[in-house]
Amino acid sequence: MATQAQIEQIIDVALAEDLGRGDRTTELVIPQNMGGTAGIIAKEPAVVCGGEIARIAFMKVDQTLQIKVNIPDGQKAKAGEPVLLVTGRVASILKTERVALNFLSHLSGVATATSQFVEKVKGLDVKISDTRKTLPGLRLLEKYAVYAAGGQNHRPDLASGIIIKDNHLVALAARGVSIPDAIAKARAGAKGMKVEIEVQNLEQLQQAILGKPDIIMLDNMAIDDMKKAVKMVPASISLEASGGITLENVRAVAETGVDVISIGAITHSARAIDFSLSFITGRPPQA
């Protein structure tokens, strides 16, 4: 999980990108002493994520702002609900608006997509996991959004786990190294980490079983082959399905008996959720 320092670094980069040279429009037309209250409103149903990120962004721009996060990360919002209220200098609110909305829109998109897959496999003994297919610079926040929505996090970086993938095997095969030998080589230096290997067919699976890895990833396998794989693999080895997983087929994949289903689309292709920031006239709504 991301540390506070890592989260703030990501927010700092976003603020510098948008506000690094100032906000010419706001500085020219909005009086510095003008106050107000604005709400960030969900314009469609969603699983919300990023409220705390938005709060930190607002506070970095102006520590005098008063912010209330109405809907915690991982909870559902209805269309029209205010997920966050911010009171204070109008100029500060306007300067932070786009950064706060960008984080909320994207992270809520990831959380909403994750929750849809989690709901599809409800009642089955399987976990929905993310991958490293993330937007550059946003991986830690995206993985947090997956976790908040009930998903499971795969390794956050290349140093956090051992996965022997197809290109590793191709390179090793050119030197005459077999799949069991590759697993043994990884195990020798694993220092307590689990060893996972990716296979693309049942022939590779048979070789992988001989090497006794901790996890075998079934990459882009047909449902019928997944069913055969589950019967072939001993209980001591976990099975992960990955590649080509959609909302339409995820239930069928889960029903094969695999332990984990990893889905790159929940991060790299998540549709942004529509939020808007609106200033409130009169008394702010009660959450």
Side-chain angles (χ1 to χ4, degrees), residues 79-138:
E81 272 195 284
V83 302
L84 181 147
L85 294 173
V86 54
T87 299
R89 294 188 181 98
V90 170
S92 300
I93 295 171
L94 291 172
K95 289 176 181 180
T96 321
E97 174 183 0
R98 179 43 52 197
V99 169
L101 289 174
N102 283 351
F103 279 124
L104 267 167
S105 294
H106 179 58
L107 296 180
S108 296
V110 172
T112 300
T114 300
S115 70
Q116 290 170 344
F117 279 97
V118 169
E119 184 64 26
K120 283 286 187 180
V121 301
K122 192 173 182 179
L124 298 175
D125 188 18
V126 66
K127 300 293 185 183
I128 296 296
S129 174
D130 55 27
T131 71
R132 284 172 36 251
K133 294 178 180 177
T134 54
L135 298 183
L138 293 179

Side-chain angles (χ1 to χ4, degrees), residues 19-158:
L19 190 56
R21 298 196 302 142
D23 178 353
R24 299 293 175 82
T25 308
T26 297
E27 290 160 4
L28 288 171
V29 303
I30 301 296
Q32 273 298 308
N33 61 352
M34 179 184 288
T37 294
I40 292 183
I41 312 299
K43 299 183 73 175
E44 58 183 308
V47 175
V48 174
C49 188
E52 179 62 16
I53 306 301
R55 187 193 70 81
I56 294 171
F58 278 115
M59 294 299 291
K60 279 182 170 290
V61 172
D62 186 345
Q63 292 188 354
T64 70
L65 294 174
Q66 298 177 29
I67 299 148
K68 182 179 181 182
V69 178
N70 288 334
I71 301 182
D73 292 343
Q75 300 299 308
K76 293 181 179 179
K78 299 175 183 177
E81 272 195 284
V83 302
L84 181 147
L85 294 173
V86 54
T87 299
R89 294 188 181 98
V90 170
S92 300
I93 295 171
L94 291 172
K95 289 176 181 180
T96 321
E97 174 183 0
R98 179 43 52 197
V99 169
L101 289 174
N102 283 351
F103 279 124
L104 267 167
S105 294
H106 179 58
L107 296 180
S108 296
V110 172
T112 300
T114 300
S115 70
Q116 290 170 344
F117 279 97
V118 169
E119 184 64 26
K120 283 286 187 180
V121 301
K122 192 173 182 179
L124 298 175
D125 188 18
V126 66
K127 300 293 185 183
I128 296 296
S129 174
D130 55 27
T131 71
R132 284 172 36 251
K133 294 178 180 177
T134 54
L135 298 183
L138 293 179
R139 176 174 296 169
L140 292 175
L141 294 186
E142 290 177 347
K143 283 182 172 289
Y144 166 67
V146 169
Y147 177 80
Q152 175 177 287
N153 294 146
H154 221 294
R155 57 179 180 168
D157 55 39
L158 291 170

Side-chain angles (χ1 to χ4, degrees), residues 206-280:
Q206 289 176 324
Q207 291 299 305
I209 292 170
L210 295 176
K212 299 180 180 180
D214 298 292
I215 308 164
I216 297 176
M217 180 191 295
L218 309 177
D219 182 43
N220 281 290
M221 275 197 185
I223 296 290
D224 286 344
D225 283 346
M226 288 187 199
K227 292 178 180 178
K228 294 175 183 177
V230 170
K231 292 179 180 179
M232 292 168 59
V233 173
S236 58
I237 300 175
S238 296
L239 276 178
E240 174 183 344
S242 189
I245 310 295
T246 66
L247 285 171
E248 288 69 35
N249 67 16
V250 67
R251 182 83 184 182
V253 172
E255 288 172 344
T256 65
V258 296
D259 302 293
V260 177
I261 302 173
S262 55
I263 307 164
I266 58 178
T267 48
H268 70 64
S269 296
R271 183 183 68 81
I273 299 299
D274 193 5
F275 291 92
S276 66
L277 184 145
S278 299
F279 281 93
I280 299 164

